[in-house]
Amino acid sequence: MPTRFIVAIDGPAGAGKSTIARALATALGFVYIDTGAMYRAVALRAVRASGDLSDETSMSECARACLIELLPDNRVLLDGEDVSGAIRTPEIAQAASKVSALPGVRCAMVALQRKLAESNSVVMEGRDIGTVVFPDAQAKVFLDASPEVRAARRVLEMRQKGIDADPARIAAEIRERDHRDSNRAEAPLTLAPGADYVDTSDMTPEQVIAALLQLVREKAGKDIQS
Ligand code: DC
């Protein structure tokens, strides 16, 4: 194994990135980094301050001022406050999609993401990990699923948390976010050169994890503990 191994996982909302990336990181003994949580934290701070989410200057300042910590137990701290639940609302998801289109915001987050992986092997998930953050990652994966499956997964996830979710509304929100995240000028969601495309629509989480572990092992070319 090289000293530092990067697994980059990109894909649209609801493709199962978080579940898969977290399990993969545990299996590999790598650090798990949810970059969506970072953009969500910036968005939360901006929304709380009633900021203009399209204002490049103030949003970039906001991003630079945020102290974001991703804890090993997957909690997310913003300026020392546990915001793990507060960043998971549909409102903050949309706000994150908006602020993440701004180059200044991305610049601050990408710097932080690279720093987090400086001395660790990581499984990092997001939208631009294999294209921008770590184009030289040893393993790059694009996780996808049909829009219907992704919406259904989101509805289930929310209902499991006791949140009432209207399937039509969730599907519309996902479509809106997909469109914005894939069509922005800066670091749009797209298949990275050399990335493996995995359609998880008809796969169980266990099957996806097994497939990705296999892929990482092949890329590493050596034994990685399972
Ligand atoms: O993965 P997520 O749903 O938590 O991400 C929330 C938003 O953050 C997503 O709509 C787009 C943005 N994002 C991004 O632009 N780049 C990343 N690497 C991760 C997320």
Side-chain angles (χ1 to χ4, degrees):
M1 272 279 278
T3 12
R4 185 185 71 155
F5 197 97
I6 309 269
V7 182
I9 301 184
D10 291 304
K17 295 188 303 292
S18 300
T19 310
I20 302 304
R22 195 177 295 138
L24 194 63
T26 304
L28 294 166
F30 291 5
V31 174
Y32 163 61
I33 299 174
D34 173 3
T35 63
M38 298 165 77
Y39 289 98
R40 285 170 183 261
V42 174
L44 179 68
R45 186 168 155 146
V47 166
R48 281 177 172 173
S50 305
D52 174 356
L53 301 181
S54 63
D55 185 83
E56 165 89 44
T57 309
S58 66
M59 288 305 113
S60 305
E61 263 167 35
C62 172
R64 283 194 297 271
C66 283
L67 173 63
I68 300 168
E69 292 167 273
L70 304 179
L71 303 187
D73 61 6
N74 295 322
R75 280 183 304 137
V76 181
L77 303 189
L78 170 62
D79 304 323
E81 175 194 347
D82 184 347
V83 295
S84 316
I87 60 169
R88 298 288 164 201
T89 67
E91 183 200 5
I92 296 304
Q94 291 297 343
S97 174
K98 287 178 188 158
V99 298
S100 66
L102 302 170
V105 172
R106 301 206 70 80
C107 183
M109 291 304 106
V110 169
L112 185 54
Q113 288 152 14
R114 289 185 178 144
K115 199 165 166 34
L116 289 175
E118 229 163 48
S119 49
N120 292 305
S121 290
V122 299
V123 178
M124 189 176 284
E125 56 122 328
R127 303 291 188 287
D128 63 336
I129 311 307
T131 50
V132 174
V133 186
F134 288 112
D136 296 329
Q138 290 93 333
K140 297 200 258 185
V141 180
F142 190 99
L143 274 194
D144 205 356
S146 71
E148 297 73 28
V149 167
R150 292 191 286 118
R153 284 180 186 160
R154 258 303 132 79
V155 169
L156 186 68
E157 191 182 295
M158 290 179 76
R159 290 191 176 152
Q160 279 169 347
K161 285 187 199 154
I163 304 166
D164 187 30
D166 169 24
R169 217 196 76 212
I170 299 292
E173 277 172 5
I174 286 189
R175 266 199 308 277
E176 188 186 332
R177 229 152 41 96
D178 280 357
H179 182 78
R180 196 184 298 109
D181 298 344
S182 307
N183 291 286
R184 63 187 179 211
E186 187 81 10
L189 171 65
T190 182
L191 184 70
D196 284 86
Y197 179 88
V198 181
D199 183 344
T200 69
S201 301
D202 298 318
M203 294 170 84
T204 63
E206 291 71 27
Q207 288 172 325
V208 183
I209 293 160
L212 265 53
L213 268 174
Q214 177 64 27
L215 194 142
V216 171
R217 287 204 184 93
E218 281 166 17
K219 303 278 180 198
K222 292 188 191 165
D223 339 344
I224 298 176
Q225 305 276 315
S226 55

